[in-house]
Every structure is written in structure tokens, then in C-alpha cells.
Amino acid sequence: MKKYIGIDLGGMSAKAGIVTDTGEILAKATKPTKRDGTYQEILKSMADAALEALKLSNLRIEDIESVGIGSPGTPDNEKGVLVYTNNLNFRNVPMREEMQKHINLPVYIDNDANCAALAESVAGAAKDVKTSITFTLGTGVGSGIIINNKIYSGFNYAASEFGHTVIVVDGLLCTCGRKGCFEQYASASSVIRETKIAAEKNPESKINELTGGNPEKIDAKVAFDAAKLGDKTGQEIVDNYIKYLAAGLANAINAIEPEMIVLGGGVSHEGEYLLKPLREAIYKEVYTREPVIFTKIETAKMGNDAGIIGAAMLGL
Ligand SMILES: [Zn+2]
């Protein structure tokens, strides 16, 4: 059984794990990262997390095949350089070279959403299909395309940004500068935004009862909870959300025709309550309406460790 180090770099911390070739985590550790830290400081924290996980696993560096890094932004795995990321303010960071100063092993890097998709493909929901797209519905909408069991990154490593494809021309302004991006309508943040607006307009809604009338307590779940209790406002928010989500996912299916779409992130915890009407809406919209088999729509299985596992799997 071969073992790999996987590191998931977030905005606040670096999470590392020792992962087997079947996607099992043997040990893991987390180190905080300074938001305004230099890349040398951040890479040091990442290496520290990896070495602590290694110690906890009772393995030695000689037992490890490679280090994989899942990073926000657009990493160039050929050069080992993080070309661009907007949340860490990094440009052209020599990640591989800097990591190898701490851990002298082969180092692979890729985008964090691609790593989550790879984890689902190797060991999660999409393990029995060759072509899948994994969407993470969180603060934004991340997505990773797997074709024939491999990440598809595009010629310049910025492919698979379905979150930044426009579904409403002249719609809401997105952080990327475009208007009407899918992310503005399908992220968990967008559910929270719409729930706040609707709760204020409809004081009688069960949403206000569930949050004690405190808008600060509105999360991405409360509209679903209210809808399940028969609340009209909650149901409208859910129906509207599913409409936009279905439109964006049908676009992705029309472009790639994957065997499976995997949905991760908090909203996906709604399970069949979300998936059943979502499938109906998508299957009405996809180009091939009478196929022998439809693209499967399932929820992610790898949970919060998908980033670590997928990063480790880069070395497979
Ligand atoms: Zn955008």
C-alpha cells in the first residue's frame, strides 16, 4: 500500500494528511496560516502540518511517495508555480521549489476544487464512473472536471470555472467582475442573501420564527427547514434556488456530458429533498431529453477531507 501526503491550503489554515492509495486518511494535522503572511511563511506552515501528520502516523518520510497541494487559484503543475490566486494575493509563487526546501519529495499542485473532484472520482461518489464534475456549493461555487479519471485543467490551468459562467445577462455583480455569474445564484451565500431579503419582506414567515427574528442567524439551511414545515416563503426560496442551480448544472451537462454530477458543500446536506426536484428540473432542460440514461446527480461522499485526499491523489 503506497502512502502520500495531501495538503489543503485554505484562507486561514493548512490541513495536511497522510493518505493511502485508496483514499484512506491515516493521520492528519492543521496549522494556522497568516492571512498577510509571505509565501515562504505559508509554505512553512503547510510543511509543518504535513510533518506533524507524518509523526502522528508513525511513518517516516521514506515511506511517502509524494506531496500533493490543493490550492485556491490557478496553479501550474508543470512548472510547480501558483500563477494567481485572488484570496491570498499571490502571483507566480514557486510552490514546488519552496515546499522541497522542507520536504524533499516530488511535489504536485492543483486547484482545490479540482482536488475535491479527484477525491470523489478516486474514492467517493464518482468512483464507478470515468467522467464526472464535482460542484462545491459554499461561499462561492467551485467545480472540477474529471475526464477519463483525470483532472481537466485547461491549457492555462483555469478551466472548470463553471461558477463564473453567466446565467443571467446583466445580473448580479460577481467577485470576478462579470455580472450574473452562476456563483451569484447557486452558492450557499446566495441562499443566505435571498433568505434575508424574503424574511424581511414576509415577517409572518416561519424563517423569522426559526431564527428568533434575528437576521444574523439566517444560514443556508433555514429556508429549507421552513419549507419542510410548509412555509410558503421558505418554499419560494428553495424553488427559486433549484431553478438557478438546475440551469447552471444543465449548462455543464450540455458542455461536457459527464456520467455523474457530484454536489458538495453545506447545501448538499439537504440530500434527496434537494436532489429529487433538482433532477426533475435538470432533466427537463438538458439537450438530450430522451436518452437511454441520464447524467446521475448525487451528493459528495468525501466530506471536509476531500481537499486533503484529492491533493494526495495528485501523486497517483
Ligand atoms: Zn464570476
Side-chain angles (χ1 to χ4, degrees), residues 2-9 15-28 50 64-71 105-112 114-116 118-120 122-123 151 302 305-316:
K2 289 184 173 175
K3 292 140 203 123
Y4 304 81
I5 289 174
I7 305 173
D8 181 15
L9 176 62
K15 295 188 284 181
I18 310 302
V19 183
T20 68
D21 46 14
T22 53
E24 189 196 344
I25 295 188
L26 301 176
K28 55 181 179 173
I64 305 295
E65 304 292 320
S66 61
V67 177
I69 299 172
S71 162
L105 283 174
V107 173
Y108 304 97
I109 61 175
D110 214 310
N111 172 273
D112 47 8
N114 288 348
C115 288
L118 186 60
E120 293 298 334
V122 173
I151 293 172
M302 304 308 284
D305 293 328
I308 296 175
I309 296 165
M313 301 289 98
L314 294 173
L316 278 183

Side-chain angles (χ1 to χ4, degrees), residues 226-240:
K228 286 174 198 162
L229 294 170
D231 183 61
K232 192 168 146 279
T233 306
Q235 192 62 54
E236 275 172 18
I237 297 165
V238 170
D239 290 349
N240 222 18

Side-chain angles (χ1 to χ4, degrees), residues 163-164 174-178 181 183:
H164 300 289
C174 183
T175 51
C176 77
R178 296 185 89 185
C181 283
E183 168 164 308

Side-chain angles (χ1 to χ4, degrees), residues 17-266:
I18 310 302
V19 183
T20 68
D21 46 14
T22 53
E24 189 196 344
I25 295 188
L26 301 176
K28 55 181 179 173
T30 301
K31 294 281 176 193
T33 51
K34 275 196 273 176
R35 202 174 173 77
D36 53 352
T38 62
Y39 77 81
Q40 290 92 341
E41 288 172 325
I42 288 175
L43 267 293
K44 171 82 166 59
S45 303
M46 290 160 70
D48 286 349
L51 293 170
E52 191 178 318
L54 183 68
K55 203 172 153 196
L56 292 169
S57 72
N58 288 320
L59 293 166
R60 295 167 310 153
I61 203 79
E62 295 77 24
D63 302 320
I64 305 295
E65 304 292 320
S66 61
V67 177
I69 299 172
S71 162
T74 55
D76 172 347
N77 184 46
E78 249 165 72
K79 297 198 183 91
V81 168
L82 177 55
V83 181
Y84 168 82
T85 170
N86 90 47
N87 50 356
L88 283 162
N89 202 20
F90 279 179
R91 300 287 181 279
N92 296 313
V93 166
M95 278 198 148
R96 176 178 297 140
E97 190 187 312
E98 191 63 28
M99 179 55 70
Q100 285 174 335
K101 288 181 188 166
H102 305 286
I103 302 175
N104 193 18
L105 283 174
V107 173
Y108 304 97
I109 61 175
D110 214 310
N111 172 273
D112 47 8
N114 288 348
C115 288
L118 186 60
E120 293 298 334
S121 170
V122 173
K127 88 172 187 280
D128 296 327
V129 300
K130 283 185 175 164
T131 301
S132 59
I133 311 176
T134 294
F135 286 84
T136 308
L137 311 170
T139 312
V141 171
S143 51
I145 303 173
I146 303 292
I147 296 178
N148 291 330
N149 301 317
K150 287 203 168 72
I151 293 172
Y152 176 73
S153 308
F155 87 98
N156 201 22
Y157 310 99
S160 189
E161 291 292 346
F162 280 110
H164 300 289
T165 55
V166 167
I167 59 166
V168 181
V169 173
D170 285 332
L172 294 164
L173 182 64
C174 183
T175 51
C176 77
R178 296 185 89 185
K179 283 182 181 168
C181 283
F182 183 43
E183 168 164 308
Q184 293 303 314
Y185 300 88
S187 59
S189 315
S190 73
V191 181
I192 296 172
R193 178 193 70 223
E194 294 304 315
T195 308
K196 282 184 176 167
I197 295 169
E200 203 187 333
K201 265 196 216 155
N202 303 282
E204 78 294 345
S205 160
K206 283 210 161 52
I207 293 166
N208 290 313
E209 207 176 295
L210 291 169
T211 55
N214 181 357
E216 294 299 308
K217 285 195 178 157
I218 289 176
D219 56 17
K221 194 170 170 286
V222 67
F224 286 90
D225 292 344
K228 286 174 198 162
L229 294 170
D231 183 61
K232 192 168 146 279
T233 306
Q235 192 62 54
E236 275 172 18
I237 297 165
V238 170
D239 290 349
N240 222 18
Y241 177 69
I242 288 172
K243 191 172 80 180
Y244 286 113
L245 185 57
L249 297 181
N251 288 346
I253 293 171
N254 284 354
I256 308 287
E257 204 183 41
E259 292 166 80
M260 188 184 285
I261 296 263
V262 181
L263 300 176

